[in-house]
Amino acid sequence: MEFKTTIIGRVGRDAELKEVAGGKKVASYSVATSPSKDKTVWVKVTVWDKRAEIDAQYVKKGMLVKCEGTLQSDDNGLPRTYQKDGTTIASNFELTAYDVKYLSKSEAAAQPAEEKTV
């Protein structure tokens, strides 16, 4: 049985590329989705290898993306939580994406460039 999740939303921060053990590349960024008019859900998107290199170059704050992948959870099927000194300090939804489609350019890229005087 396949477990696939699709989200469509606006990127909240530029993709950040890192290299982990073994030289593998990983990129992550946040995506804001709106399941209802007055609610926003933030999802951390993680991509690996070649997809990470591509997204690190092109995924920018404000652009609209469609991400498909596997929703990550803790051992109980709940959003992952992060603790410090035994106290939960954060929790979030995480999607390990294997397909990302760019539905728009970033808002910064959509702005007209300033005219340059030569």
Side-chain angles (χ1 to χ4, degrees):
M1 192 172 352
E2 183 180 16
F3 176 60
K4 178 172 83 170
T5 302
T6 302
I7 61 167
I8 298 174
R10 296 243 175 235
V11 176
R13 62 177 172 86
D14 293 357
E16 182 179 323
L17 182 67
K18 294 182 182 178
E19 190 171 315
V20 295
K24 291 189 75 143
K25 306 276 175 134
V26 61
S28 62
Y29 45 95
S30 57
V31 175
T33 63
S34 297
S36 65
K37 187 177 180 179
D38 54 346
K39 184 176 184 176
T40 300
V41 174
W42 287 93
V43 178
K44 177 183 176 185
V45 175
T46 304
V47 291
W48 292 86
D49 303 320
K50 187 64 176 171
R51 175 89 254 167
E53 293 177 30
I54 293 167
D55 282 6
Q57 185 175 0
Y58 294 106
V59 173
K60 304 295 179 194
K61 180 178 179 175
M63 68 187 294
L64 186 64
V65 294
K66 175 183 175 183
C67 304
E68 291 184 0
T70 304
L71 196 59
Q72 303 301 311
S73 64
D74 67 10
D75 293 337
N76 298 314
L78 300 171
R80 288 187 174 169
T81 58
Y82 301 91
Q83 298 186 358
K84 183 175 184 177
D85 299 326
T87 304
T88 300
I89 57 171
S91 67
N92 66 349
F93 293 99
E94 295 181 27
L95 181 76
T96 300
Y98 50 76
D99 187 34
V100 178
K101 300 238 185 302
Y102 307 146
L103 303 178
S104 75
K105 294 182 180 179
S106 67
E107 291 180 4
Q111 299 292 327
E114 291 183 33
E115 290 184 31
K116 295 183 180 179
T117 308
V118 180

